[in-house]
Amino acid sequence: MECIQRFTHRLLPLPPTVAQNCFNSVKRSPFRAYPAARFGLTRKPIFSPTSCYPRPGLTPDLTTRRSYGHSSRARAGWFLGIGKKEEELQEIVKAGDPVLHEPARDVAPEEIGSDRIRQIVDDMVKVMRKAPGVGLAAPQIGIPLKIIILEDTNEYIGYAPKEETKAQDRRPFDLLVILNPKLKKKGNKTALFFEGCLSVDGFRAVVERHLEVEVTGLDRDGQPIKVKASGWQARILQHECDHLEGTIYVDKMTSRTFRTVENLDLPLASGCPKLGVC
Ligand SMILES: [Zn+2]
């Protein structure tokens, strides 16, 4: 799940030259190919225009989008068992790719603790922190396994207004790695807040989530774990577990609340429910 930030165009106007460069780069850029092979299957290439990020002067470290270079090829190579260079990171799969709507499979008992799974987890942590985000599911880097990671830090939380993080009940927590998570919603209380996703870059929508959940699963060593979570951590867990079912937040968002990050502070459309605990 994406960090919620409010470095909007209104707060930090985009210089015309940057805006023009951005527009030009989208207009002129050659298209870059997604991997033709994924999950060992041959697929028709999917093309997407090159992003105009990063935008100098607009994006502090927290919101900088980095280019992952040849990661698509690395990802395809990884699945084919070809070694990848250490500095290459998997690319985050973006919305529009049907792979995000495919359910993931359990990590098999014989795979748990293996070098392959450890490598996947290590890669996920690097990708999530580099994005940066507060959660990531393995399908988001093209790996159809039930693995989620999440982490929230004082630094990330410090970028959001205090009244907002208080309303969201957002508190820092250490990195959590959960294999084969099973989520149970607890109680009847829910909350409506905007959330984002690293696979839906630059957009937010209101999603109703349970305030409390309990997640059981295995840690990266295969030891059983149980996480009782509330508030924002519970939201992140629900968001990431949804990814493992092939669901992204736009599949369950409150209608008419989908908007760009730049418009996050504008009032909701008439008739939309109020943000907060229901
Ligand atoms: Zn997501």
Side-chain angles (χ1 to χ4, degrees), residues 1-267:
M1 193 162 110
E2 196 160 20
C3 298
I4 300 288
Q5 299 117 25
R6 289 171 181 275
F7 295 101
T8 69
H9 284 175
R10 282 187 298 284
L11 291 173
L12 289 169
L14 192 63
T17 49
V18 176
Q20 191 59 45
N21 288 344
C22 184
F23 176 71
N24 288 342
S25 77
V26 170
K27 247 186 6 179
R28 293 198 308 257
S29 287
F31 288 78
R32 81 185 146 81
Y34 261 50
R38 190 157 43 197
F39 310 154
L41 302 173
T42 303
R43 291 166 56 105
K44 284 182 184 173
I46 300 167
F47 296 96
S48 69
T50 303
S51 165
C52 64
Y53 287 107
R55 292 177 285 191
L58 174 70
T59 51
D61 281 350
L62 190 63
T63 55
T64 299
R65 269 63 169 175
R66 297 160 197 263
S67 163
Y68 293 111
H70 304 292
S71 58
S72 298
R73 262 177 288 149
R75 179 149 51 110
W78 190 88
F79 279 106
L80 297 170
I82 301 165
K84 65 182 176 60
K85 289 179 186 171
E86 201 173 323
E87 67 274 14
E88 290 177 334
L89 283 182
Q90 274 72 27
E91 186 173 344
I92 295 174
V93 179
K94 299 299 181 189
D97 190 325
V99 72
L100 289 175
H101 295 299
E102 291 170 10
R105 71 159 173 85
D106 275 340
V107 181
E110 62 271 20
E111 293 178 300
I112 291 165
S114 66
D115 289 346
R116 177 173 179 259
I117 298 301
R118 287 181 190 281
Q119 187 65 56
I120 290 171
V121 170
D122 288 347
D123 287 350
M124 287 175 67
V125 172
K126 286 179 193 162
V127 169
M128 177 182 72
R129 287 178 175 166
K130 201 165 188 177
V134 292
L136 191 74
Q140 290 182 276
I141 56 167
I143 296 171
L145 290 176
K146 290 191 174 177
I147 305 174
I148 61 169
I149 62 167
L150 53 154
E151 173 183 58
D152 207 356
T153 69
N154 274 316
E155 184 196 348
Y156 295 164
I157 294 169
Y159 284 102
K162 272 209 173 78
E163 60 273 18
E164 184 177 282
T165 53
K166 193 178 171 192
Q168 294 166 341
D169 189 16
R170 185 175 171 191
R171 289 160 278 128
F173 57 88
D174 292 337
L175 177 68
L176 266 171
V177 175
I178 311 176
L179 312 184
N180 301 339
K182 287 189 169 47
L183 184 141
K184 272 189 198 164
K185 292 163 182 167
K186 307 293 273 186
N188 297 320
K189 279 194 169 177
T190 59
L192 288 157
F193 287 111
F194 276 101
E195 67 181 54
C197 177
L198 293 174
S199 295
V200 192
D201 221 5
F203 293 92
R204 301 284 186 269
V206 174
V207 183
E208 184 172 7
R209 300 283 190 189
H210 269 72
L211 271 185
E212 290 182 43
V213 299
E214 185 179 284
V215 177
T216 53
L218 303 171
D219 68 13
R220 69 167 92 193
D221 299 315
Q223 297 302 310
I225 50 171
K226 182 189 278 189
V227 180
K228 292 181 177 182
S230 59
W232 203 251
Q233 188 187 29
R235 176 172 292 266
I236 299 168
L237 282 163
Q238 289 167 85
H239 178 111
E240 302 310 333
C241 286
D242 276 353
H243 274 299
L244 303 183
E245 304 302 323
T247 299
I248 49 180
Y249 80 81
V250 295
D251 295 317
K252 49 171 53 177
M253 64 187 177
T254 303
S255 60
R256 298 187 295 131
T257 64
F258 187 65
R259 55 181 56 190
T260 57
V261 174
E262 291 77 15
N263 289 326
L264 199 55
D265 291 327
L266 296 180

